Amino acid sequence: MQKIYLKLLTALLLLNLTGCGYNHFQSLDEEAKASWSEVLNQYQRRADLVPNLVNVVKGYAAHEKEVLTQVAEARSKVGSMQVTAEVLNDPEAFAKFQAAQGQLSGALSRLMAISENYPNLKADQGFRDLQAQLEGTENRITVARNRYIGTIKDYNVAVRSFPENLTAMMFGYKTKPSFAVENEKAISVAPTVDFADKK
Amino acid sequence: MKFKLKTSLATFCTMLIFASFNVYAELVAVPALTKHVTDLTQTLSAEQQSQLEAKLAAFEQQKGSQIALLIVPTTQPEDIAQFGIRVVDAWKLGRAKQDDGILIIVAKNDHKMRIEVGYGLEGAIPDLTAKRIISEIMAPSFKRGDFYGGINNAIDKLIALAAGEQLPEPDHTTSNGQNFNNMLPLLLFGGLLMGGILRAVFGRFFGGTLTGGAIGLLAWVLGGGILAAVFFAVIAFFITLLGISGMSQMGGGVFGGGSAGGHDTFSGGGGGFGGGGASGDW
């Protein structure tokens, strides 16, 4: 009798462990994918704004070739990356994606900075509209990223906690990457303000 | 030895207390949501607040979408957008499936304002439109010190835009739900009476089944929902089966206690926000 009870107990325990853990991972995995899709959506939305922005700025500041080229290059780099949910399982690809988006962010902020020197450009309604859209999109990207980070945190905690990490190992669920602060070194250095006249 | 222990314990406790002091600047707390209009700076007079409140409540009643106004002194150390998304994540304005909420935030001392638009209204009020409302309607009025005028006109514009959007009709079953709660004692009494009569006519079991069926149907029609209808049907069945005297007191007690719950205070409908909208300053 005891042997049967022991077998029954073991079976029950095993069922319990895998039952609970496995389903939990399914829902967490799907949530992670969904929030990642949202992040991709918003990045795409930003990339779509860039060509119009570049055209408007060219109309007033065509000789600012360096910045305009940088923006165009960054935009095409981002556009050429095939990013899906699979990128979450590949930390290298994720880092590459983050780097490319960071490059576009930098180029865009430089573009908006030089537009300060062109009052006609600043007054252009088309430019102001694009500026509003860009701000809105940047905000959406921030919100989407924050939500992604929250979802990934739950997922990673589940993957790492005992006993669910056993289920995770069994079915191949690894921790997914989260957004790191890009280029921490650059941020820790305070920006220098240069009032020297450019001639 | 004892002395040393006491002093070191005291020192340790003091250190802990100091360590627990928040070194970082406190984030502005999300205010409680009780009405459409929340003015923490006394910028608007009571009359102005109630006028806006009436307008926004009427719009919610008519269209279902929830527009709210929040005036705070400052959102520092956060950006108004960061603060805004925290507030709407907590308040959840707008209906859950439609995500049709809008929040207007004014940070008076920061001279900043923001219109936060829910997912469902991003088509009617894209970022550009929100920006235009801010810069063309709100900012000029605010610069003159006319806060009520700027806010009132902005709300009118937002209502006009949201009203044009194809949204599902507001769900008036909440009023049915309240009706149901009020009808509970009536339902019970009616059930008992009907049960007694049917039992006399058809006998215990059959009478019970008929009563259960009738009460269940009535409960469902009154907006109680399938589950509640089944629940009451079963209860009515057993009451009739076992006779009035025993169960009536218990039943009365159970149902009497359950019919509380008014839906008078304003609360968010579970709507989601994605960071859409626009900010501005004056």
Side-chain angles (χ1 to χ4, degrees):
Chain A
M1 267 316 252
Q2 272 216 347
K3 265 194 181 170
I4 298 177
Y5 275 140
L6 212 65
K7 281 187 188 160
L8 213 66
L9 192 67
T10 326
L12 216 69
L13 275 174
L14 278 172
L15 273 174
N16 230 6
L17 283 176
T18 49
C20 287
Y22 187 71
N23 287 339
H24 197 207
F25 279 118
Q26 298 316 302
S27 69
L28 285 176
D29 195 39
E30 284 304 316
E31 267 192 55
K33 282 195 189 132
S35 58
W36 178 244
S37 299
E38 180 65 13
V39 172
L40 288 180
N41 267 349
Q42 302 307 338
Y43 273 130
Q44 186 57 47
R45 194 191 165 114
R46 179 175 74 167
D48 291 341
L49 283 175
V50 172
N52 289 344
L53 198 57
V54 167
N55 282 338
V56 170
V57 174
K58 257 192 197 153
Y60 291 85
H63 52 279
E64 296 278 0
K65 287 208 174 69
E66 193 187 314
V67 180
L68 289 169
T69 323
Q70 277 178 357
V71 172
E73 274 176 10
R75 181 356 184 150
S76 60
K77 187 168 179 188
V78 154
S80 66
M81 293 184 85
Q82 297 288 344
V83 190
T84 59
E86 276 314 302
V87 118
L88 292 182
N89 297 329
D90 182 356
E92 259 191 55
F94 187 85
K96 260 199 206 146
F97 173 76
Q98 227 195 327
Q101 291 293 352
Q103 202 181 337
L104 182 56
S105 298
L108 277 172
S109 60
R110 251 166 273 135
L111 185 68
M112 300 316 276
I114 61 149
S115 72
E116 294 288 316
N117 298 334
Y118 297 86
N120 288 341
L121 174 63
K122 275 179 74 173
D124 183 286
Q125 188 59 44
F127 179 73
R128 292 233 288 257
D129 289 352
L130 284 165
Q131 201 174 14
Q133 287 178 316
L134 191 65
E135 277 168 17
T137 308
E138 293 283 0
N139 190 39
R140 286 157 206 264
I141 290 175
T142 307
V143 170
R145 279 168 62 125
N146 285 340
R147 291 195 178 151
Y148 171 78
I149 290 172
T151 315
I152 284 301
K153 185 181 103 168
D154 292 339
Y155 174 87
N156 285 345
V157 164
V159 164
R160 294 168 65 182
S161 309
F162 186 80
E164 288 188 336
N165 59 355
L166 301 173
T167 320
M169 281 192 282
M170 232 191 300
F171 291 97
Y173 286 106
K174 299 200 190 64
T175 57
K176 293 207 201 295
S178 185
F179 284 108
V181 173
E182 286 139 27
N183 214 346
E184 291 199 48
K185 234 183 161 184
I187 294 187
S188 52
V189 176
T192 52
V193 181
D194 187 0
F195 286 117
D197 275 353
K198 285 192 179 156
K199 288 211 177 134
Chain B
M1 278 298 275
K2 250 191 186 175
F3 248 96
K4 274 197 178 167
L5 189 66
K6 263 195 185 168
T7 39
S8 53
L9 207 66
T11 325
F12 186 61
C13 286
T14 323
M15 280 166 58
L16 270 182
I17 293 172
F18 275 114
S20 70
F21 285 165
N22 234 342
V23 188
Y24 314 104
E26 289 282 318
L27 294 179
V28 175
V30 175
L33 178 64
T34 50
K35 302 179 298 196
H36 292 84
V37 175
T38 310
D39 180 3
L40 300 176
T41 60
Q42 281 89 46
T43 308
L44 303 172
S45 73
E47 195 195 314
Q48 290 170 335
Q49 285 188 35
S50 59
Q51 278 180 341
L52 293 175
E53 179 70 35
K55 189 181 289 194
L56 294 172
F59 180 65
E60 182 185 352
Q61 189 68 347
Q62 174 208 348
K63 190 81 180 172
S65 130
Q66 293 181 322
I67 302 180
L69 168 68
L70 173 63
I71 309 182
V72 288
T74 177
T75 61
Q76 299 298 334
E78 283 181 309
D79 186 42
I80 195 168
Q82 288 173 299
F83 177 71
I85 200 74
R86 265 202 312 132
V87 172
V88 294
D89 278 348
W91 284 9
K92 297 199 196 307
L93 296 169
R95 294 171 285 178
K97 288 220 166 65
Q98 281 74 46
D99 296 324
D100 52 2
I102 299 177
L103 177 64
I104 306 172
I105 312 175
V106 179
K108 186 119 184 276
N109 299 346
D110 298 340
H111 283 250
K112 294 236 180 351
M113 64 280 229
R114 180 167 176 83
I115 299 179
E116 198 77 55
V117 180
Y119 282 120
L121 286 173
E122 283 181 5
I125 306 169
D127 296 351
L128 210 49
T129 312
K131 183 75 180 178
R132 288 231 174 106
I133 293 177
I134 286 180
S135 49
E136 290 166 16
I137 298 180
M138 291 173 86
S141 294
F142 285 10
K143 280 191 185 128
R144 290 195 304 266
D146 178 15
F147 290 95
Y148 176 70
I151 290 173
N152 194 26
N153 293 336
I155 286 178
D156 285 341
K157 183 82 178 155
L158 287 168
I159 285 180
L161 289 165
E165 184 78 351
Q166 290 286 350
L167 291 170
E169 286 292 308
D171 192 15
H172 288 300
T173 58
T174 38
S175 50
N176 270 354
Q178 257 189 308
N179 279 344
F180 182 65
N181 279 334
N182 295 337
M183 294 287 264
L184 270 174
L186 207 71
L187 214 64
L188 183 68
F189 188 68
L192 292 172
L193 212 62
M194 194 188 318
I197 297 171
L198 286 174
R199 197 159 137 264
V201 174
F202 289 110
R204 281 189 171 218
F205 185 72
F206 205 48
T209 322
L210 279 177
T211 319
I215 293 295
L217 199 69
L218 204 63
W220 182 52
V221 162
L222 283 174
I226 289 283
L227 222 60
V230 169
F231 177 69
F232 286 120
V234 169
I235 296 277
F237 176 68
F238 277 112
I239 290 176
T240 317
L241 205 65
L242 297 167
I244 300 175
S245 54
M247 299 286 275
S248 63
Q249 290 141 341
M250 197 182 80
V254 166
F255 291 123
S259 61
H263 300 273
D264 298 326
T265 56
F266 176 61
S267 63
F273 286 73
S279 310
D281 56 14
W282 77 89

